[in-house]
Amino acid sequence: QVQLVESGGGLVQAGGSLRLSCAASGRTFSSYNMGWFRQAPGKERKFVAAISRSGGSTYYADSVKGRFTISRDNAKNTVYLQMNSLKPEDTAVYYCALDLRRTVVPTSSERGYEYWGQGTQVTVSS
């Protein structure tokens, strides 16, 4: 069993920054790839970023590349999403997720993730 808890969401003006955190418990955090997804109002949930077990490899959706940075601190059992230069279209509920399969390359497909957090709301005003 794995529990994931996101935090750090809120209201920010366009061009501003937020850092989301996802704290994990229940399993050996460092053994698993992690991902961030988001779901905007009225839209499907979409891939945002993923990170390998050691943190050595990261992957991003084109829509956030160059603005968002995913990282992890295995000693703290936490994965982060640093969001800079935020745009109104970034408004969404953001979810972190854990992939139990221990693949070398993280997946961008939500079907590959077994455990999900409750989500944290990010709202970007124009």
Side-chain angles (χ1 to χ4, degrees):
Q1 184 178 353
V2 175
Q3 294 182 349
L4 303 173
V5 180
E6 301 99 331
S7 62
L11 176 64
V12 64
Q13 293 182 335
S17 299
L18 285 173
R19 188 184 70 167
L20 306 183
S21 299
C22 176
S25 63
R27 284 181 176 263
T28 303
F29 176 73
S30 62
S31 296
Y32 304 103
N33 297 326
M34 298 288 295
W36 284 97
F37 293 77
R38 66 187 183 185
Q39 187 169 28
K43 296 185 177 181
E44 298 179 353
R45 187 161 58 187
K46 299 292 186 180
F47 170 77
V48 175
I51 189 167
S52 61
R53 299 196 301 270
S54 68
S57 299
T58 57
Y59 306 88
Y60 299 93
D62 289 341
S63 60
V64 306
K65 191 173 298 183
R67 299 188 298 121
F68 291 11
T69 302
I70 187 172
S71 62
R72 67 193 298 162
D73 187 339
N74 288 339
K76 297 181 178 180
N77 296 326
T78 302
V79 63
Y80 304 95
L81 185 68
Q82 178 66 47
M83 305 185 296
N84 299 326
S85 301
L86 283 163
K87 304 175 181 179
E89 52 262 43
D90 294 319
T91 295
V93 176
Y94 284 71
Y95 301 88
C96 66
L98 182 149
D99 183 356
L100 287 174
R101 300 173 301 167
R102 301 192 187 188
T103 56
V104 174
V105 178
T107 182
S108 62
S109 173
E110 64 184 87
R111 296 179 181 86
Y113 294 89
E114 183 73 18
Y115 292 98
W116 296 79
Q118 84 288 348
T120 185
Q121 176 71 50
V122 173
T123 302
V124 184
S125 62
S126 60

